[in-house]
Amino acid sequence: AVKGYLRVAADGPSYAGGYNIASLTDSGTGNRTIVWDTDFSDTNYSIVTGSTENNQSNTRHFTFATGSVQMLTSNMAETSDLDRATASIAIGAQ
């Protein structure tokens, strides 16, 4: 079952909608951290993220913690970081 989800606007840290989200931090261009309201039981959960703005972007999950995950978004060649609108779901044990 899905344990968390959110949609993030490209222009800032606010999220358009979500579930199990305590906060979202914008740490710079293409760098955001999602903090879960209810932690996962370990770091072995999965995140599926897609850009809702441009099919030429790449989102990767850099740091998994039980209470948060850091997402980095760049162009497909990963030569520059980009702020992109994204949608993410999290699945795992809590």
Side-chain angles (χ1 to χ4, degrees):
V2 172
K3 301 295 183 169
Y5 66 83
L6 78 158
R7 292 187 61 174
V8 181
D11 60 353
S14 62
Y15 53 89
Y19 168 74
N20 191 30
I21 308 301
S23 66
L24 176 67
T25 302
D26 187 342
S27 300
T29 303
N31 185 344
R32 296 180 176 132
T33 300
I34 301 167
V35 176
W36 306 114
D37 193 33
T38 301
D39 290 357
F40 286 85
S41 60
D42 56 38
T43 59
N44 296 320
Y45 57 94
S46 297
I47 300 284
V48 178
T49 300
S51 173
T52 61
E53 192 173 302
N54 182 323
N55 62 4
Q56 298 298 314
S57 61
N58 178 32
T59 302
R60 56 206 188 280
H61 307 96
F62 184 69
T63 304
F64 282 86
T66 57
S68 64
V69 65
Q70 180 184 17
M71 297 189 313
L72 303 173
T73 306
S74 62
N75 64 11
M76 290 299 283
E78 295 186 24
T79 57
S80 62
D81 293 332
L82 303 169
D83 282 334
R84 292 288 190 205
T86 57
S88 302
I89 61 170
I91 301 166
Q94 288 182 307

